[in-house]
Amino acid sequence: MLERMSAEPVNTESPQTIAARAGLELNIGVGQPIQPAIHQSTVYTYPSLEALESAMTFEQPGFVYYRNGHPNAAVLEETLAALEYAPSCAVAASGMAAISSVFMALLGAGDHLIADSNVYGGTFALLAVDLPQMGIEVSLVDAQDHAAVAAAFKPNTKLLHLESLSNPTLRVADLPVLIALGKAHNVRVSVDNTFASPALMNPMQHGADVVVHSLAKYIGGHGAVMGGAVIGPRDVVEAARGKLLRLGGTMAAFDAWLALMGLKTLPLRMRAHSSNALQVARFLYAHPKIARVDHPSLASHPQHDLAARLYPHGTGGMMALELHGGFDAASSFVKALSGKIPLAPSLADVSSTISYPARTSHRALTPQARALIGVTDGLLRLSVGIEDADDLERDLTAALSELA
Ligand SMILES: Cc1ncc(COP(=O)(O)O)c(C=O)c1O
């Protein structure tokens, strides 16, 4: 029992003082919680100026101010770096904060970046709007077309940005080939590994220079987290962390704690997501009302062999699909599924969700730009969860049977 819980008054200070100093002397005793505490504190106290100075100069370990880092971020960073076989990690307020910090750390006015034209719509908007405002030149190239990527390098190219599995159409980046192209041109390669997660793909093991994640997806895994991560060699990570600290992109302590809880089951969940998605993709592919299914583990996927080679443990729970009947059929299907597989413009939760990329993740693109990357008006993105796959098939069958 804690001393403060005693029935007797413990001191003679006024209520105002007691209230203002509540918690300053908390000592939880010998027993330690099995889970790390949530360090929800804006600032850390020090016994002396010398002690504070030693923490400020990194002579002694010690946190000082929330925006500059906190224990929940630190333990998450250590775990994520280990999961990606990388020396270092900086977590961020969101996936977009992480991606922005990498671009800002590695690029300046006059530099050129090449990115896959199939990147997530939020990244596309950053490339189309914000980087040009900073004087950074951007070329969007279909990363499946290796000759086009090779032709896009210029003397001022500093970065090639890819998604290991693209959102939403699940193109598989041939990382060994694309990273070799970057190296041949002395250009760093950054890989957004959100869709694959470190349980299925480790881009640094293929030679990537930096990896980014949205932690709101598979790593958090339960639809409760907002966060991002930059993972790679110390110099790149510290340059990105500097941007995050100065621009205020710190990850919240509770979100970092939730992400850590989520990633404890990441490899197990990814196995379940992958096997469920394959069963569901096969079922949908064979269904007469379905016109198209994009899932890399499906034998019909144009990059199936590459996916099998690069992803021996599966390709996760994401797929894109189109029904015969375009937008109207998609709209009816979403309504018919609701209650079982809800419309939710995110992904990678333990429960299955469906989303409509043309009006959510890829809203920032013109209809022409969407058409170029296969985000049609009838396209749906299904995030297959870890429910029983037979139950999912039953729910999908019932919803499809309601369509004309
Ligand atoms: C592949 C990918 N990268 C990055 C992001 C951005 O992450 P966040 O929403 O955490 O900023 C998303 C979000 O959907 C995504 O799908």
Side-chain angles (χ1 to χ4, degrees):
M1 176 138 5
L2 300 174
E3 242 179 274
R4 279 279 164 86
M5 291 169 76
S6 149
E8 294 300 312
V10 292
N11 62 36
T12 55
E13 290 161 342
S14 76
Q16 196 174 329
T17 306
I18 292 170
R21 293 181 182 163
L24 276 181
E25 290 168 20
L26 175 68
N27 177 351
I28 65 165
V30 186
Q32 291 297 307
I34 194 165
Q35 300 299 353
I38 301 170
H39 293 270
Q40 188 64 44
S41 186
T42 312
V43 71
Y44 293 78
T45 64
Y46 280 82
S48 67
L49 287 175
E50 290 75 18
L52 173 59
E53 186 61 17
S54 70
M56 296 290 286
T57 53
F58 306 106
E59 264 169 60
Q60 296 285 335
F63 298 95
V64 175
Y65 183 58
Y66 195 149
R67 177 163 51 77
N68 292 350
H70 49 79
N72 296 105
V75 68
L76 179 60
E77 287 170 350
E78 214 174 285
T79 315
L80 287 172
L83 287 174
E84 284 287 16
Y85 300 92
S88 195
C89 168
V91 292
S94 66
M96 288 315 301
I99 295 168
S100 310
S101 74
V102 168
F103 290 169
M104 291 179 71
L106 300 182
L107 300 164
D111 289 340
H112 173 239
L113 168 146
I114 305 169
D116 185 1
S117 50
N118 293 285
V119 289
Y120 162 63
T123 307
F124 176 90
L126 180 68
L127 297 171
V129 179
D130 303 282
L131 293 199
Q133 280 175 3
M134 292 185 244
I136 298 163
E137 203 189 335
V138 175
S139 298
L140 291 170
V141 182
D142 182 350
Q144 277 181 272
D145 185 345
H146 297 163
V149 175
F153 286 95
K154 300 183 186 192
N156 59 339
T157 308
K158 292 281 164 58
L159 190 65
L160 170 61
H161 181 72
L162 307 166
E163 287 180 8
S164 42
L165 296 174
S166 77
N167 178 359
T169 53
L170 282 300
R171 317 249 170 142
V172 182
D174 192 337
L175 291 180
V177 169
L178 291 162
I179 290 167
L181 269 179
K183 288 203 189 307
H185 291 83
N186 207 18
V187 164
R188 282 191 169 113
V189 180
S190 54
V191 179
D192 182 334
N193 199 27
T194 300
F195 263 43
S197 94
L200 300 180
M201 165 56 71
N202 297 120
M204 306 246 342
Q205 300 223 300
H206 293 286
D209 295 281
V210 54
V211 174
V212 289
H213 282 282
S214 166
L215 304 181
K217 315 301 181 199
Y218 282 121
I219 289 172
H222 300 78
V225 169
M226 185 49 60
V230 178
I231 302 167
R234 241 167 262 289
D235 58 337
V236 173
V237 168
E238 289 315 311
R241 191 195 302 280
K243 296 290 177 193
L244 289 166
L245 302 192
R246 288 189 292 282
L247 295 169
T250 311
M251 186 176 191
F254 184 45
D255 288 78
W257 184 88
L258 281 173
L260 191 78
M261 293 302 113
L263 62 71
K264 285 171 189 261
T265 55
L266 178 71
L268 294 176
R269 281 188 284 112
M270 292 316 291
R271 224 176 286 160
H273 282 295
S274 298
S275 69
N276 275 5
L278 182 54
Q279 181 174 331
V280 166
R282 283 180 176 147
F283 160 76
L284 289 172
Y285 186 73
H287 198 283
K289 289 183 180 167
I290 299 286
R292 158 188 167 197
V293 180
D294 294 336
H295 179 71
S297 295
L298 210 52
S300 61
H301 190 283
Q303 295 169 294
H304 173 70
D305 291 347
L306 174 65
R309 191 155 37 84
L310 292 184
Y311 295 85
H313 304 298
T315 54
M318 301 305 303
M319 68 189 66
L321 59 114
E322 258 189 286
L323 289 102
H324 292 296
F327 174 82
D328 291 343
S331 170
S332 306
F333 188 49
V334 165
K335 280 192 198 110
L337 276 175
S338 76
K340 301 287 190 191
I341 300 181
L343 174 64
S346 186
L347 58 109
D349 294 348
V350 285
S351 54
S352 299
T353 55
I354 195 156
S355 85
Y356 181 61
R359 289 288 169 276
T360 59
S361 57
H362 289 66
R363 202 183 178 94
L365 279 68
T366 61
Q368 294 80 2
R370 280 199 293 272
L372 272 179
I373 59 167
V375 180
T376 61
D377 284 348
L379 190 84
L380 293 167
R381 191 186 69 197
L382 181 61
S383 171
V384 177
I386 62 168
E387 303 94 330
D388 184 285
D390 293 340
D391 287 342
L392 288 173
E393 261 192 47
R394 212 172 5 255
D395 295 338
L396 290 161
T397 304
L400 286 165
S401 73
E402 285 183 36
L403 306 185

